[in-house]
């Protein structure tokens, strides 16, 4: 039987004493947490361990003795350490000793209360107590290769060290009957100040949470990208300002990721705002906007004139072609008149819109998306008119095609049933089918052109929203933590052999394997409001072919009309 003893490397120079920690019987392992120095009273040690166990809910006990012969030269020390096993009565009693400057340690076990003691092979594993305490072990997927079982064994070790923070608050320099050696936790005073600030900020956080919930409810009622993003960020502020303590490591990391994401978002927004208001860039942008709108309108007018002729040599229905062309030209004329009417106020509008960048770069990008939507509203209207007219003809042709085959659509049962038609119905159906069929190419051409223009606008808005989603969802704090403190996000451990000699225990060094960057992003990615359609590519192509309207701003889970 192999006994694994996890020994903190920070205790390698500790004075002689006793080892306290946790015994994992199912793994035949012992996790040493600290060394209690001489002199001490056994009753006080048991009382202290009982108090710590009550606070941490970790079963702590005296595991054995530790002898540092370099510092302790007294005779009979080894016998005294062995006698402590009868007082604390732990089976097996672990004896670890360091002999001078030798790199080989001795580690043995005693079983005084066993009638047939067995010789156990001991493996001494060193671990960095500070890194193990601060790290969070991420369990791997259960693939059937035993990794999940090994991770559960390691999680018991990580959990033991992490939950023993109360034990690390007392060290060898504190006044009291118990003197301990372990990893010394730093920043205790700072943590006390932070806790006091948290307690005093509870009323302010409650008031801020109430105000944010009201504003968030107002923002949800609008379909503008800006209001959606503001509502999303307000929900983040509610999470940060909440006085509810994070229960798990995942919740704590989520709060930290949201806070860093908000901080960097606002910083980038302020940089953008400072760039816009420098060298009168707002005025130059306003002066450029009207000529660009006129140029787009001229290009659309030339496109409509081309469609009203013989586009690509195609023979179109001239009457319908002229009606549709003049209808769309009139819309362009109305839109240009509206833009020129608003031209004196555009610079002032842009000046106030630029101030919104202080709310974050994502808010500024959403405002840009809404501005593009407003400036291309005439293209959207063209797309809706063309799609509705094309959809009407497609459904009319499909219904009349069923009439020729002696079929009809049963509305109650939602299926196609057989039906007999008289001669008049067939004549009218044939006449309508012929009219719709010969008018379809003209309508389909207008629908195709305006759908392509609409898709071009949607692609530009989609790229903007992809950037917004990237900023919203990227776990920046976790990535920074992975870069600077890789041991905080542990994917597992690896063991390195230090020394091995016959008659001496095998000495291993436990090192933490950090989580990969891809796994960090996948594990701690923040949810977004995601304004992209949930349809597949096949469904989108089907809707485009049938002329059904596509709403890219529909949220996940919402039913599309």
């Amino acid at each position: 039987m192999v006994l694994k003893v996890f020994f903190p490397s920070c205790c390698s120079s500790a004075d002689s004493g006793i080892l306290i920690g946790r015994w994992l019987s199912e793994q035949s392992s012992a996790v040493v947490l600290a060394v209690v120095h001489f002199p001490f009273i056994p009753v006080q040690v048991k009382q202290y361990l009982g108090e710590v166990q009550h606070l941490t809910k970790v079963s702590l006990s005296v595991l054995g003795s530790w002898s540092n012969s370099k510092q302790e030269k007294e005779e009979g020390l080894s016998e005294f350490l062995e006698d402590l096993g009868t007082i604390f009565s732990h089976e097996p009693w672990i004896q670890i000793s360091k002999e001078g400057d030798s790199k080989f340690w001795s580690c043995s076990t005693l079983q005084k209360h066993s009638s047939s003691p067995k010789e156990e092979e001991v493996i001494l594993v060193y671990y960095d107590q500070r890194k193990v305490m601060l790290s969070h072990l991420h369990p791997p997927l259960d693939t059937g290769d035993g990794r999940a079982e090994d991770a559960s064994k390691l999680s018991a070790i990580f959990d033991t060290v992490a939950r023993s923070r109360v034990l690390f608050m007392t060290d060898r320099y504190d006044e009291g009957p118990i003197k301990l050696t372990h990893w010394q936790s730093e920043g205790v005073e700072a943590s006390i100040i932070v806790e006091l600030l948290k307690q005093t900020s509870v009323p302010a956080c409650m008031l801020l949470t109430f105000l944010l919930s009201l504003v968030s409810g107002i923002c949800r009622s609008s379909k503008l990208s800006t209001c959606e993003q503001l509502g999303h960020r307000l929900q983040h502020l509610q999470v940060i300002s909440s006085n509810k303590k994070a229960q798990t490591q995942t919740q704590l990391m989520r709060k930290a990721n949201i806070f860093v994401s908000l901080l960097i978002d606002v910083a980038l927004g302020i940089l953008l705002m400072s760039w816009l208001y420098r060298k009168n860039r707002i005025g130059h942008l306003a002066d450029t906007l009207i000529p660009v709108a006129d140029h787009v309108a001229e290009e659309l007018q030339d496109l409509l004139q081309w469609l009203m002729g013989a586009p690509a040599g195609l023979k179109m229905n001239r009457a319908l072609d002229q009606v549709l062309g003049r209808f769309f030209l009139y819309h362009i004329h109305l839109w240009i008149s509206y833009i020129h009417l608003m031209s004196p106020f555009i610079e002032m509008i842009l000046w106030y819109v630029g101030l919104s960048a202080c709310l974050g770069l994502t808010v500024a990008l959403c405002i840009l998306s809404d501005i593009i939507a407003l400036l291309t509203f005439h293209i959207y209207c063209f797309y809706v008119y063309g799609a509705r007219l094309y959809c009407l003809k497609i459904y009319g042709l499909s219904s009349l095609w069923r009439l020729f085959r002696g079929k009809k659509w049963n509305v109650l049962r939602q299926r196609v049933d057989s039906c007999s038609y008289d001669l008049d119905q067939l004549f009218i159906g044939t006449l309508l089918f012929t009219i719709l069929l010969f008018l379809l190419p003209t309508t389909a051409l207008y629908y195709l052109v305006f759908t392509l223009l609409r898709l071009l606008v949607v692609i530009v808005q989609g790229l903007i929203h992809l950037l917004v989603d990237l900023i919203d969802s990227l776990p920046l704090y976790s990535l920074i933590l992975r870069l600077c403190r890789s041991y905080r996000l542990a994917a597992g451990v690896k063991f390195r052999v230090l020394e091995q000699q016959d008659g001496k225990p095998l000495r291993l060094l436990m090192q933490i394997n950090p989580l990969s960057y891809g796994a960090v992003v996948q594990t701690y990615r923040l949810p977004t409001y995601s304004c992209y359609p949930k349809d597949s590519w096949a469904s989108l192509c089907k809707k485009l072919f049938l002329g059904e309207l596509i709403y890219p701003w529909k949220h996940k889970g919402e039913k599309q009309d």
Side-chain angles (χ1 to χ4, degrees):
M1 186 176 182
V2 180
L3 174 64
K4 298 179 288 294
V5 179
F6 291 85
F7 190 82
S9 55
C10 56
C11 296
S12 58
S13 59
D15 297 338
S16 298
I18 56 176
L19 305 173
I20 60 175
R22 181 185 180 187
W23 172 254
L24 304 174
S25 58
E26 63 276 3
Q27 303 179 22
S28 186
S29 303
V31 182
V32 179
L33 297 174
V35 175
V36 180
H37 304 153
F38 294 110
F40 59 83
I41 301 175
V43 177
Q44 293 178 343
V45 174
K46 290 183 179 181
Q47 183 180 2
Y48 176 73
L49 291 180
E51 295 175 357
V52 174
Q53 182 175 344
H54 177 71
L55 294 174
T56 60
K57 306 301 180 183
V58 178
S59 179
L60 300 179
S61 59
V62 178
L63 301 176
S65 60
W66 158 255
S67 175
N68 191 347
S69 59
K70 182 180 178 180
Q71 297 180 356
E72 298 290 343
K73 301 294 184 180
E74 298 180 2
E75 297 181 358
L77 179 61
S78 59
E79 290 80 3
F80 175 71
L81 293 176
E82 291 181 6
D83 293 338
L84 289 175
T86 60
I87 300 176
F88 294 101
S89 65
H90 184 273
E91 290 283 347
W93 182 258
I94 303 171
Q95 290 180 324
I96 304 176
S97 62
K98 180 181 179 184
E99 301 173 355
D101 295 328
S102 175
K103 61 181 180 180
F104 298 106
W105 293 17
S106 63
C107 183
S108 59
T109 58
L110 293 177
Q111 296 181 354
K112 293 187 176 182
H113 302 282
S114 177
S115 58
S116 58
K118 297 180 181 180
E119 187 71 21
E120 293 185 349
E121 183 182 354
V122 180
I123 298 179
L124 199 58
V125 182
Y126 297 94
Y127 70 95
D128 192 324
Q129 199 171 55
R130 174 178 175 271
K131 291 184 178 180
V132 172
M133 185 189 70
L134 297 178
S135 63
H136 175 58
L137 183 63
H138 296 76
L141 297 176
D142 191 1
T143 57
D145 55 358
R147 293 184 180 180
E149 184 178 356
D150 295 338
S152 63
K153 295 179 180 179
L154 288 174
S155 63
I157 300 171
F158 278 72
D159 184 65
T160 299
V161 181
R163 291 166 59 186
S164 303
R165 293 176 180 266
V166 178
L167 181 67
F168 303 144
M169 295 300 173
T170 305
D171 56 29
R172 60 185 300 180
Y173 302 105
D174 292 340
E175 295 182 359
I178 305 298
K179 305 292 184 181
L180 301 176
T181 292
H182 49 70
W183 171 75
Q184 300 296 320
S185 58
E186 298 177 357
V188 178
E189 295 82 2
S191 63
I192 294 175
I193 295 175
V194 170
E195 291 298 328
L196 290 176
L197 290 176
K198 287 181 180 179
Q199 295 297 327
T200 56
S201 61
V202 168
C205 289
M206 292 178 62
L207 179 61
L208 182 61
T209 304
F210 176 72
L211 295 176
L212 290 176
S213 61
L214 292 179
V215 180
S216 178
I218 297 174
C219 292
R220 290 196 198 99
S221 61
S222 177
K223 292 298 181 183
L224 291 176
S225 300
T226 305
C227 293
E228 292 287 347
Q229 179 62 22
L230 284 175
H232 186 64
R233 283 307 191 189
L234 288 174
Q235 290 179 358
H236 285 175
L237 286 175
Q238 289 179 9
V239 173
I240 296 175
S241 61
S242 175
N243 55 1
K244 185 179 179 181
K245 188 177 180 180
Q247 301 295 330
T248 61
Q249 179 73 15
T250 304
Q251 294 178 357
L252 185 62
M253 292 293 290
R254 181 172 180 266
K255 278 191 173 184
N257 285 321
I258 289 175
F259 178 75
V260 174
S261 177
L262 278 171
L263 194 64
I264 295 180
D265 187 18
V266 172
L268 293 175
I270 293 175
L271 289 177
L272 176 63
M273 185 176 63
S274 64
W275 181 82
L276 287 175
Y277 288 96
R278 194 179 302 165
K279 298 180 181 179
N280 195 25
R281 289 189 174 92
I282 293 289
H284 297 327
L285 183 61
D287 296 336
T288 309
L289 194 60
I290 299 300
V292 169
D294 290 337
H295 178 71
V296 172
E298 291 176 2
E299 293 293 332
L300 285 176
Q301 288 176 349
D302 294 339
L303 178 63
L304 288 174
Q305 293 293 342
W306 177 70
L307 291 176
M308 291 171 65
L314 297 176
K315 183 66 175 178
M316 312 297 292
N317 185 281
R318 184 166 182 80
L320 180 61
D321 194 11
Q322 292 294 322
V323 170
L324 292 177
R326 291 175 182 176
F327 177 74
F328 291 129
L329 284 174
Y330 179 68
H331 275 72
I332 294 176
H333 173 71
L334 288 179
W335 180 249
I336 291 299
S337 302
Y338 173 73
I339 291 294
H340 283 278
L341 182 65
M342 294 292 296
S343 59
F345 310 100
I346 288 180
E347 183 176 357
M348 182 179 63
I349 292 174
L350 292 179
W351 196 89
Y352 285 108
V353 166
L355 292 177
S356 63
C358 64
L359 298 176
L361 179 62
T362 55
V363 176
L365 291 175
C366 289
I367 291 177
L368 176 61
S369 176
D370 290 335
I371 290 176
I372 292 175
L374 291 175
L375 292 179
T376 58
F377 183 70
H378 52 307
I379 296 178
Y380 173 71
C381 291
F382 295 164
Y383 163 70
V384 171
Y385 298 152
R388 288 303 187 190
L389 188 59
Y390 174 78
C391 182
L392 178 64
K393 292 190 177 182
I394 289 295
Y395 278 98
L397 288 173
S398 63
S399 179
L400 294 172
W401 177 249
R402 286 194 296 267
L403 182 143
F404 295 149
R405 295 184 297 132
K407 306 288 185 179
K408 73 170 184 178
W409 175 254
N410 193 327
V411 181
L412 296 179
R413 298 187 178 183
Q414 294 293 310
R415 68 181 185 184
V416 178
D417 295 333
S418 300
C419 180
S420 59
Y421 298 95
D422 55 22
L423 186 61
D424 294 337
Q425 291 175 331
L426 291 175
F427 175 76
I428 296 176
T430 304
L431 183 62
L432 292 177
F433 183 84
T434 305
I435 295 174
L436 292 179
L437 182 62
F438 282 101
L439 292 180
L440 182 63
T442 304
T443 307
L445 181 62
Y446 276 88
Y447 169 69
L448 176 64
V449 171
F450 293 135
T451 300
L452 292 177
L453 291 176
R454 176 59 184 166
L455 288 178
L456 180 62
V457 177
V458 169
I459 289 174
V460 175
Q461 289 183 290
L463 292 176
I464 295 175
H465 282 284
L466 277 177
L467 182 57
V468 172
D469 277 0
L470 179 64
I471 299 175
D472 283 344
S473 63
L474 201 62
L476 297 174
Y477 175 77
S478 299
L479 291 174
I480 295 173
L481 199 63
R482 170 62 179 84
L483 179 63
C484 301
R485 296 288 186 271
S486 59
Y487 61 86
R488 294 289 299 273
L489 305 175
V493 298
K494 60 182 178 181
F495 297 95
R496 183 167 62 90
V497 178
L498 295 179
E499 293 92 13
Q500 186 175 8
Q501 187 185 38
D502 295 337
K504 298 291 183 180
L506 177 63
R507 296 173 63 193
L508 304 177
L509 177 62
M510 187 177 73
Q511 297 176 331
I512 297 177
N513 284 331
L515 206 63
S516 63
Y517 286 98
V520 170
V521 174
Q522 184 179 3
T523 304
Y524 295 105
R525 183 181 178 90
L526 296 172
T528 60
Y529 63 91
S530 188
C531 61
Y532 303 106
K534 61 180 180 179
D535 303 279
S536 61
W537 286 105
S539 179
L540 288 176
C541 293
K542 180 182 177 182
K543 287 187 175 182
L544 288 175
F545 179 76
L546 296 178
E548 297 181 9
L549 294 181
I550 298 175
Y551 301 98
W553 56 84
K554 285 289 184 182
H555 297 178
K556 289 182 178 180
E558 285 190 11
K559 183 180 179 181
Q560 296 190 7
D561 299 331

